[in-house]
Amino acid sequence: MPTITEVYNNIPCREGLTPDWGFSCLVEEAGLLFDTGERGDILLANMQALGIDPAAIRHLVLSHDHHDHIGGLKAVLARNPAIEVIVHDAFSAKTLSLVREYTDPRIVGEWAEIADGIAVTGPLGTAIPEQSLAITVSGGYLVVTGCAHPHISRIIEKVSEVGPVWGVIGGLHTVTGEDVEALAGVAHLSASHCTDRIGELAERYPASFRPGGVGQVHRI
């Protein structure tokens, strides 16, 4: 079962780590880093404090082309140029050019398996295309989002075409009534980073809600 450690988040959770606007987490068993936060120096410092070696990471998945999710990209690539970088086909030429200074990116346009038991949704949404992780767990899929710009209800709908959504971790940005209802069946809910109605979600779903923040560890 996966262990997910939040290495970058603007919400503080653990002493000895630096909170800063952005999001990044490590799926430990897969050696998979999801997003890189806003600043490379903070990302690397938090990794060091958590005992995470950037050179040991095998996969890097980027959710969308916003600086608070790709700002640490160059720092990671400089420490580990052999890493597999997975992006989607809506990333800018500037970001892709940065990746190509170190390695050839894997560009996906739809649902794709990227590691054992782990898939990406491919880009969803139109204004801000974004992809999420779908990790196989005993109850279905654990969805990991960067900002959920396409709305978490749409992401859950997409993943549900493949299998049931067991849990959700990450930023949910602007949460609508439809999004709130879509989270009703989720057994593990940890909304953080840019989510605008965290308190309401915690009150609505006290049995499933888990606080998120830099240093938080989710053992599923």
Side-chain angles (χ1 to χ4, degrees), residues 96-114:
L96 294 177
S97 177
L98 171 58
V99 175
R100 289 185 175 117
E101 290 179 18
Y102 298 88
T103 188
D104 289 327
R106 177 179 175 184
I107 303 174
V108 299
E110 56 187 7
W111 181 280
E113 298 285 336
I114 58 168

Side-chain angles (χ1 to χ4, degrees), residues 58-90:
R58 300 190 297 277
H59 315 280
L60 171 60
V61 176
L62 300 177
S63 63
H64 63 297
D65 209 351
H66 280 181
H67 205 264
D68 56 330
H69 293 262
I70 66 165
L73 174 59
K74 185 171 183 177
V76 173
L77 289 172
R79 293 291 188 94
N80 187 352
I83 196 171
E84 179 189 34
V85 180
I86 298 109
V87 297
H88 55 71
D89 53 13

Side-chain angles (χ1 to χ4, degrees), residues 158-193:
K158 175 64 177 179
V159 177
S160 295
E161 294 174 0
V162 183
V165 172
W166 176 85
V168 172
I169 292 173
L172 305 186
H173 209 266
T174 304
V175 178
T176 66
E178 183 179 1
D179 295 329
V180 173
E181 294 303 320
L183 293 165
V186 169
H188 185 99
L189 171 60
S190 184
S192 63
H193 176 39

Side-chain angles (χ1 to χ4, degrees), residues 21 64 66 68-69 128 130 145-152 170-176 179 191-198 201:
W21 187 261
H64 63 297
H66 280 181
D68 56 330
H69 293 262
I128 305 173
E130 181 177 341
T145 70
C147 279
H149 285 294
H151 285 285
I152 191 58
L172 305 186
H173 209 266
T174 304
V175 178
T176 66
D179 295 329
S192 63
H193 176 39
C194 57
T195 309
D196 65 355
R197 295 164 71 177
I198 294 177
L201 291 174

Side-chain angles (χ1 to χ4, degrees), residues 9-159:
N9 203 316
N10 41 285
I11 297 175
C13 180
R14 177 172 163 181
E15 291 186 2
L17 301 173
T18 302
D20 187 58
W21 187 261
F23 185 77
S24 176
C25 67
L26 179 72
V27 184
E28 294 187 10
E29 292 79 4
L32 188 153
L33 187 68
F34 179 74
D35 285 345
T36 64
E38 174 79 30
R39 290 176 48 181
D41 58 340
I42 292 177
L43 178 68
L44 294 179
N46 285 344
M47 282 184 165
Q48 183 176 14
L50 290 165
I52 298 169
D53 181 3
I57 298 171
R58 300 190 297 277
H59 315 280
L60 171 60
V61 176
L62 300 177
S63 63
H64 63 297
D65 209 351
H66 280 181
H67 205 264
D68 56 330
H69 293 262
I70 66 165
L73 174 59
K74 185 171 183 177
V76 173
L77 289 172
R79 293 291 188 94
N80 187 352
I83 196 171
E84 179 189 34
V85 180
I86 298 109
V87 297
H88 55 71
D89 53 13
F91 271 77
S92 67
K94 179 180 178 181
T95 300
L96 294 177
S97 177
L98 171 58
V99 175
R100 289 185 175 117
E101 290 179 18
Y102 298 88
T103 188
D104 289 327
R106 177 179 175 184
I107 303 174
V108 299
E110 56 187 7
W111 181 280
E113 298 285 336
I114 58 168
D116 186 25
I118 303 178
V120 289
T121 61
L124 303 175
T126 53
I128 305 173
E130 181 177 341
Q131 66 182 353
S132 301
L133 287 181
I135 304 171
T136 301
V137 297
S138 60
Y141 283 105
L142 173 65
V143 174
V144 182
T145 70
C147 279
H149 285 294
H151 285 285
I152 191 58
S153 55
R154 173 69 185 96
I155 296 169
I156 289 174
E157 178 184 29
K158 175 64 177 179
V159 177

